[in-house]
Each structure stands twice: as C-alpha cells, then as structure tokens.
Amino acid sequence: MNPEPISAGGARAAEPAAHTAPRRRLHSYGLLGRSIAEGVGSFLLVFATAVAIFSGTGGISSPLGVGLAAAAAMVAFGYVSGGHFNPAISLGSAAAGRTSWKALPVYVVAQLIGALLAYLILWVLFQDHPELTDTREIFSVLANGYGTDYQLGFPLASALLAEVVATALLVAVFLGASARRIPAVSAAFAVGVTYAVLLSILAPITGGSLNPARSTAAAIFAGGDSLEQLWLFWAAPVLGALIAGLIYRSVDLSVSDAQHGDDTDEDVDFLADEADEADDANELDNADVEEAKAQHPSGTATGTAAGASAAAPTKMPRENDDDARGFFDGDDDGGRPGTGRH
C-alpha cells in the first residue's frame, strides 16, 4: 500500500482530484457492452421518432422531438459506446478512424435490432386498438419514400441528393462535436439540434431518414413500395457518411503530418513522446528531491522524497486529463483521445 504523500513540513498533501475519478475509456466496456448500449440507444431514438411522427399534432414538433430523443440517448448511453445509434454515424466514425472496423458490423446489427424492437412494440400497440384496422397503412406513414406517390412527389435524384448531403452534415457535426474536449451535454445538444434541423428540411422530400436502421424497420412493417425503395435509404446515408468520415480523416491526418512530419510513424512518434515526458518527469522529481534535502537536511529520506513529490505538480496520464471534458473523444481500440491515432 502506497503511503500518503507528506510535505517537507510534515503535513499530508491532498491527492489530486483527477485521481479520484479517472475517465473510463470506451474500450474498457467491451464490445458486448458497447453493442448493448448501441441497441438500447437505437431503440430509444427510433421509438421516439416514430411516436413523434405519428402524433405530429401534439404540442411539440416531430423534428424537435427526434432531436431531443437523440440528445437524451447520447447523454444516457454515449459514455459506453460513443453515442452513435445510427449505422451511418458508425460508418462515418469508422471511416474517420475513430471506431474500429471490426466493431462496425456489431454496432450496425445492434442498432437494427433496437430499431426493429421499437417498431415491434408499436405494432403490438396498434393491434390492440379497436379503431386501427390497417396497421400497414399506419406504418407506411412512418416509412421513408420518394416519387410521385409520396408526399410532395420529389423524384429519385432529388431524394438521393438530399439524403446524401443531410447525412454528411449530420456525421460531420457528430465527429466535430464528439472529438473535442467539451462536456458531453454540449456534444449531445449539437447533434440533437442538427437532427431536428435536417429532419425539418427532409420531411417533405423523403420523410427524413438519416438513419438506415429506422428506415429498415419502418419498411419491413409497412411493406409494399417502402421495401422496394429501401435501397435508397441505405445507399444515400452510406455515401454521405463516407464523404464526411473520409474528409474528417484527411484533415485530421494532415494536421498530424504538419505537427510530426510526413515521414514520421505515428505509433513510434507517440511512444517517443511518452518516453520524453517520462524523462522530463524523472528529471523534475530528482531536482525537487535535491532541493528538499538542501532545505531540510534533518528530514528522513522517505519523508523528504515524499515531500518533494507532493510539492511537485503531479503529472497525470493523458487519458485521465480532466474528467469534465467529455466522454466521447475516445476510440474503441485505445488510441489517443481526439486524435484518431491507433
């Protein structure tokens, strides 16, 4: 058991606050735990989306309700999995180097299961209602679509372009908000507001997909044209997510190259940085010990060394740097937070 640090005057030094609550990295929850969090968050987001659309005449608009649900899910479960709850965001995060590719299919399956469970519960609720006889007609209202038979009749090209651009913007906002050392609530607020704004724009065009998991669940229960047009609401979000993720990754890598040189191996450079920091810390500790001995020659070696350690500013590992700065800026494989390094 390590003794408590004692200053040169004999008083016990307080432990740094950062030691009391080290920030828990995403990879420490395990892939199973993270996939469960993604499934539950997807269930919450999809269920809230369906209810908001179905009861659009209520006191809160449908897009705003979806945005609030997205923010709530990110705050509630984001610290476990990163707060994707959307296959497009997971793909964009993987393309940006923030999520491992091996975790991507597990995340997507979990998100699909959560979305299907949400619509299954709605289907059961509708079945028990005496006045709702045609459940497929109800779910067709919740499904996404395009063409002359859907809402304002926007054609395929317009629907594709709108979904690609909107998804790219959503993924870009997610990557930007979650990469910075800002409080989790601020990141969730940014993503939630973006959901609300983009859905307001997309609603008359495609019904507002942005989320292939939700579109798949709605199409399965609606059937008919919704299933035939489902391909668009996978192709467009995938394309938009890849565009945003690759742009984010290229910018992130260019910043790293400018800081460390184009020919520098990032892993080797990272290890070298850590070694330099360790050497600096040792030199600082040794200097403080010598100074403490000179000032207090009668003190014991243990007490003096401990006092010097207490007097010197504690050097914390990077991954425990300030708990209040948010939980999203981590990766699945333990890379450096916010840098995309592995």
Side-chain angles (χ1 to χ4, degrees):
M1 182 175 180
N2 295 328
E4 296 183 15
I6 304 175
S7 64
R12 293 185 181 274
E15 287 288 338
H19 277 301
T20 60
R23 182 160 58 88
R24 190 172 177 85
R25 298 296 303 281
L26 298 184
H27 65 273
S28 61
Y29 287 94
L31 184 57
L32 177 61
R34 288 183 276 125
S35 61
I36 291 175
E38 282 295 309
V40 175
S42 178
F43 173 88
L44 172 60
L45 178 59
V46 172
F47 187 81
T49 302
V51 172
I53 295 175
F54 186 71
S55 58
T57 57
I60 187 171
S61 66
S62 298
L64 181 57
V66 176
L68 292 175
M74 290 183 69
V75 172
F77 307 107
Y79 70 96
V80 178
S81 64
H84 300 174
F85 318 133
N86 182 338
I89 291 181
S90 295
L91 177 61
S93 181
R98 297 263 302 278
T99 299
S100 62
W101 288 101
K102 67 181 181 181
L104 178 61
V106 181
Y107 272 27
V108 172
V109 170
Q111 292 157 359
L112 285 170
I113 292 175
L116 288 171
L117 286 177
Y119 272 82
L120 178 61
I121 290 178
L122 287 175
W123 182 82
V124 173
L125 293 176
F126 294 154
Q127 289 294 316
D128 294 336
H129 197 287
E131 297 183 3
L132 300 177
T133 57
D134 191 355
T135 55
R136 286 191 177 274
E137 185 66 24
I138 296 172
F139 281 106
S140 65
V141 176
L142 303 176
N144 302 111
Y146 60 89
T148 55
D149 296 332
Y150 188 84
Q151 295 198 18
L152 298 182
F154 281 89
L156 169 62
S158 299
L160 178 63
L161 179 61
E163 286 287 341
V164 169
V165 173
T167 306
L169 290 174
L170 175 63
V171 174
V173 170
F174 176 89
L175 293 174
S178 60
R180 302 182 185 279
R181 297 291 188 97
I182 60 176
V185 175
S186 299
F189 175 78
V191 175
V193 170
T194 304
Y195 257 114
V197 172
L198 293 177
L199 287 177
S200 298
I201 299 172
L202 290 177
I205 303 175
T206 62
S209 174
L210 296 173
N211 188 340
R214 185 186 82 81
S215 297
T216 299
I220 288 175
F221 283 89
D225 292 339
S226 299
L227 276 175
E228 295 178 2
Q229 297 178 350
L230 178 61
W231 67 270
L232 174 69
F233 302 104
W234 275 94
V238 164
L239 182 57
L242 287 175
I243 291 173
L246 292 176
I247 291 176
Y248 183 91
R249 186 180 183 89
S250 65
V251 172
D252 185 51
L253 291 179
S254 65
V255 171
S256 299
D257 291 340
Q259 292 176 348
H260 303 290
D262 294 339
D263 299 330
T264 302
D265 182 83
E266 290 190 357
D267 293 333
V268 175
D269 180 65
F270 173 53
L271 293 175
D273 289 343
E274 294 296 322
D276 291 341
E277 289 183 2
D279 292 340
D280 293 341
N282 290 335
E283 292 176 2
L284 179 62
D285 290 342
N286 292 335
D288 290 329
V289 169
E290 294 299 328
E291 181 181 356
K293 286 181 178 180
Q295 293 178 355
H296 303 277
S298 59
T300 62
T302 303
T304 304
S309 299
T314 304
K315 196 169 188 65
M316 292 297 299
R318 292 183 180 180
E319 57 268 26
N320 291 335
D321 182 32
D322 193 355
D323 289 348
R325 291 182 177 180
F327 49 71
F328 294 113
D329 52 346
D331 57 69
D332 293 328
D333 292 326
R336 294 176 66 183
T339 63
R341 293 187 180 182
H342 300 277

